[in-house]
Amino acid sequence: MSGVPSDKRNVKDKQLDQFRVDDAGQTLTTNQGLKMAEDEFSLRVGERGPTLLEDFHFREKMTHFDHERIPERIVHARGFAAHGEFQVYDDSLKAYTKAKFLTDPSRVTPTFVRFSTVAGSRGSAETVRDARGFATKFYTEEGNYDLVGNNIPVFFIQDAIKFPDLVHALKPEPHNEMPQAASAHDTFWDFVANNQESAHMVMWAMSDRAIPRSFRMMEGFGVHTFRLVNEEGKATFVKFHWKPVLGTHGLVWDEAQKISGKDPDFHRRDLWESIETGNYPVYELGLQLLPEEDEFKFDFDILDPTKLWPEEDIPVKLVGRMVLNRNVDNVFAETEQVAFHPGHVVPGIDFSNDPLLQGRLFSYTDTQLIRLGGPNFHELPINRPVCPFFNNQRDGYGRHTINRGQVSYHKNSLAANTPAPASEAEGGYAHYQEKVEGHKVRKRSDSFKDFFSQATLFWNSMCPPEKQHLIDAFSFELGKVKNKSVQQQVVDMFANVSVELASAFAEAIGANLPPGSDGRVVKTSPALSMLNTVKSPATRKVGVIVGNGFDGAEVQAVLHELAAAGIQAEVISEKLGFVTGTNDTRLEVVHTFLTAHSVLFDALYAAGGTWTNPRSAKDTAEFLKEAFMHYKAIGASNDGVDWLQPAGIVSGVGIVVPSPHLTEFVPAFIEAVAAHRHWDRSLV
Ligand code: HDD
């Protein structure tokens, strides 16, 4: 059952009640409702004899088990989801759209959001370098609206016909099924070099955006240009954004790789725990709006999905808020069976002619047919609209509804021509009547042929540490590519983006340096740099390393202040149970050096105390060293300060010790935690 108080439960949550089952405390039956007297032994001839075919209970149990798995998603297989609610701030969007959930501030629209990686299998690690899916289903009163986006605002390709090629190149190579959930291999980079429209998205994929700290700390983008259509039938081009209120933050590559081993569920655990503890993730919905008359005013084509609209040129208007406030009851029933589709729209939202979007409009239903086993997946509880739905579609695998009556066709007289289409005034969806003319061609528009300017814009907008991370990411990825020609092709390609970048990774991988110099594109977009994002200590996880005999009053005071700032402090010590400090202060130990690792925390607080096991001093030094290496805030007080030196830490940015008073230490440490990472450390 839902954990939300009954007066707060939204219409989707209540709808799901009719499908929820609590088996605990019940009598075991077969699927036919027959109570069974035995569930441990199959029916056999004699205690040591063969099993009988008539054992219907064994057959049913085994058959069901044998069929428990469904095909995983061809892309975005690894995902995690939560329920939420969306509410628009005011009715100002009425000028642009007639979509009720975007114009009526009194409506609370239930949502379901599935986050995902793209390349990896369903069981793969979550902190791999990859784009993240950010798919939102709005259960509106006019039907389901799906915003199926990523955390990167552009895509690798311009035309959907190339999607199978892209995915074949990105996925593990077919002859040996390696590498898992990684783009660092020959076929992906061969694809990139030979499909150079990918340049811009590759820049994002090599940036820290592709190793998010948390699903709660990444942006979402609808990518394509869509249309909003108002009551008068006037259209406005739109791009959709999700802006996390906690800001956009990434991991360090070395840390991300280690987390993949220490906790392959790192992102889902973070989301799950945040919701369970009431730290609900919040995202603001942002829109970039462009009058149709301005379609050709830019140096890029607004239909090209490899291009973004710089936020400084077309500001993002924040129009509403989504709060994720409820975990799923059952991952298979909800997260696995949810079926998104960019073609699920409501009146007031329409498409553009972006050739990538046009192809997506075919692919999503098609894939659900194989994945969910037939055309009735819309009846699965998680996919059902919260408004009634009626039509003449019938039958097929897994049909739930019992459609009564004689008539299942339109037009008819026997049912007075019902179910009947609604006029636009009655809320019927009518497609935007765009005038289109042309010859049938298989051709790329000339306006889609600038592959590099915005990739350079991205590079120009990065701060020095972000540029270094990009160079390191290219050096890593290309360093894993075996084919020398592919390596060189990529160097030569990215010299079109930045000679500085291409030369730096060419050197790292032993390729020939590209000729030329930079300066073709000088524009920057500060919104692209993650260093300009929101910084907050809220929900940050701080590991508190503490041994017996710590200064009770001091540590309690620090923990109190950290909690007041919304920081989640968790005690790490040499064994589970309790550590005891002065004044008989007792702290519950949540992790040991064995069960936790430095990479699983945003910051460490060396709180002092003594060790009984000599290994603990070494473990402490390793935790601190690792945190330092990953640019994290480290606070140390009392005899915890003495732990820094064995870790090789003398002082530095984000290293906070009492100087001289504890009263100054705590706010300084909280500020250091909020800063996320102290990249300057790498530059000193
Ligand atoms: Fe896609 C899944 C996002 C291009 C075909 N896509 C899928 C999911 C997300 C995206 C978030 C996972 C949904 C979930 O959680 O269930 N896809 C994107 C974005 C794209 C994009 C932002 C570019 C702007 N996709 C794209 C193209 C095609 C597809 C061009 C094919 C023509 N995508 C699919 C799919 C998937 C899918 C094969 C796999 C599982 C599914 O649909 O339900 O149909």
Side-chain angles (χ1 to χ4, degrees), residues 208-209 248-250 462 466 527-533 535:
D208 296 346
R209 300 266 184 167
T248 310
H249 303 280
M462 296 292 106
E466 290 175 309
L528 300 178
S529 167
M530 285 164 72
L531 264 65
N532 299 326
T533 192
K535 311 241 168 40

Side-chain angles (χ1 to χ4, degrees), residues 341-486:
H341 187 350
H344 292 163
V345 286
V346 291
I349 301 180
D350 212 313
F351 312 114
S352 73
N353 292 330
D354 172 344
L356 192 73
L357 171 61
Q358 293 283 317
R360 289 181 79 193
L361 296 178
F362 165 75
S363 180
Y364 286 72
T365 309
D366 191 41
T367 207
Q368 312 309 350
L369 292 174
I370 177 82
R371 199 170 71 78
L372 299 171
N376 289 318
F377 56 86
H378 62 284
E379 291 195 59
L380 292 167
I382 195 64
N383 295 325
R384 281 176 179 249
V386 293
C387 59
F389 51 101
F390 306 99
N391 55 46
N392 293 309
Q393 293 163 35
R394 293 289 185 273
D395 310 345
Y397 285 111
R399 186 70 176 182
H400 288 199
T401 56
I402 302 169
N403 297 90
R404 298 200 289 186
Q406 196 178 2
V407 172
S408 53
Y409 53 88
H410 179 81
K411 295 162 144 184
N412 66 66
S413 68
L414 294 179
N417 207 21
T418 58
S423 68
E424 266 190 270
E426 292 163 334
Y429 188 92
H431 290 264
Y432 177 65
Q433 295 188 9
E434 181 185 6
K435 184 167 184 235
V436 195
E437 265 178 351
H439 296 281
K440 287 188 208 167
V441 287
R442 289 187 185 274
K443 247 183 105 183
R444 195 194 312 260
S445 164
D446 282 342
S447 58
F448 277 44
K449 288 182 182 162
D450 172 9
F451 303 152
F452 300 115
S453 295
Q454 284 207 350
T456 308
L457 172 76
F458 186 79
W459 172 254
N460 289 349
S461 308
M462 296 292 106
C463 298
E466 290 175 309
K467 284 191 170 168
Q468 188 57 49
H469 298 168
L470 269 152
I471 293 168
D472 293 346
F474 272 97
S475 306
F476 175 93
E477 297 264 322
L478 273 309
K480 297 276 184 183
V481 168
K482 296 200 171 51
N483 188 292
K484 296 285 167 211
S485 158
V486 169

Side-chain angles (χ1 to χ4, degrees), residues 67-122:
H67 293 255
E68 275 177 11
R69 287 292 167 270
I70 63 170
E72 65 175 33
R73 289 165 172 81
I74 170 73
V75 281
H76 298 267
R78 174 75 171 174
F80 203 65
H83 292 270
E85 285 169 353
F86 172 78
Q87 202 165 4
V88 76
Y89 291 139
D90 55 40
D91 66 358
S92 61
L93 286 177
K94 271 191 175 154
Y96 304 101
T97 179
K98 58 183 168 186
K100 300 275 191 310
F101 81 103
L102 288 177
T103 52
D104 180 354
S106 70
R107 282 189 195 210
V108 175
T109 303
T111 57
F112 189 67
V113 179
R114 186 174 179 274
F115 300 105
S116 48
T117 52
V118 179
S121 303
R122 196 159 127 60

Side-chain angles (χ1 to χ4, degrees), residues 10 58 192 228 242 319 365 382 397 419 504 557 572 579 676:
N10 64 43
F58 168 81
V192 168
L228 294 182
W242 288 116
V319 300
T365 309
I382 195 64
Y397 285 111
I572 308 163
V579 270
H676 178 61

